[in-house]
C-alpha cells in the first residue's frame, strides 16, 4: 500500500515537471509526439483545432493559437486501425485504453484509446452499429476510470 502511494506520488511529481517544461517551451509546427508508427506520424500535423474527420493523439500548450495566454495545440491525424488516439472516431471502436497525460487539455490524466476497425472476431470495448457480440469477458483493458469493464467478441450482422 505504501509502495503504491509512493509510486503514485513519484509519477505525479514527474508528470507535473514534464507538463511545466512543456508549458514553458515554445511550440513549433515541426514538433511531433512519440509516433505510434512512422506512417501514422507522417499523416499528422499540429493544429489549433481538431478538424472534422480527424482525431488527435497528443497535446501541448502553445502561444501560437490565441491572442493571449497558452492554448491547447493538438497533434491531429486521420483515425486508423491500431492508432492510439485521444478520441474514438465514428466508424471505429477500441480494444484497449491507457491513462496518460498525452491527451490533456487542461492538466491531469486522460484516457487514450487503441482504435480498431470493427470486424467479426475482434474483442472490443464497445459494440458498434452493425455488430452484435457472441461472447464477453471482464477486463481492465477497457477501463476509463479504474476497475473492470466488459469486452465484447464482435460479430457483424
Amino acid at each position: 500500500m505504501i509502495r503504491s502511494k509512493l509510486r503514485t506520488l513519484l509519477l505525479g511529481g514527474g508528470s507535473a515537471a514534464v507538463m511545466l517544461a512543456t508549458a514553458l517551451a515554445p511550440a513549433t509546427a515541426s514538433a511531433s509526439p512519440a509516433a505510434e508508427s512512422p506512417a501514422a506520424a507522417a499523416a499528422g500535423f499540429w493544429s489549433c483545432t481538431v478538424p472534422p474527420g480527424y482525431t488527435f493523439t497528443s497535446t501541448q500548450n502553445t502561444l501560437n493559437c490565441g491572442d493571449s495566454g497558452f492554448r491547447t495545440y493538438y497533434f491531429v491525424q486521420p483515425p486508423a486501425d491500431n492508432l492510439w488516439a485521444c478520441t474514438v472516431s465514428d466508424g471505429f471502436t477500441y480494444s484497449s485504453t491507457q491513462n496518460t497525460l498525452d491527451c490533456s487539455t487542461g492538466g491531469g490524466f486522460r484516457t487514450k484509446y487503441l482504435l480498431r476497425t470493427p470486424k467479426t472476431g475482434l474483442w472490443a470495448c464497445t459494440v458498434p452499429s452493425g455488430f452484435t457480440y457472441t461472447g464477453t469477458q471482464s477486463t481492465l483493458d477497457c477501463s476509463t476510470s479504474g476497475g473492470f469493464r466488459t469486452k465484447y467478441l464482435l460479430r457483424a450482422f
Side-chain angles (χ1 to χ4, degrees), residues 3 6 15 29-30 41 50-51 58-59 62 76 85 93 111-112 121 139 143 145 147 151:
R3 226 181 224 173
L6 180 59
S15 299
S30 62
V50 181
S58 188
T59 61
T62 184
V76 299
T93 185
T111 302
K112 202 167 194 181
T139 180
S143 181
S145 59
K151 204 168 196 181

Side-chain angles (χ1 to χ4, degrees), residues 7-24:
R7 187 177 323 138
T8 301
L9 287 173
L10 290 174
L11 285 173
S15 299
V18 169
M19 287 181 61
L20 180 60
T22 301
L24 295 176

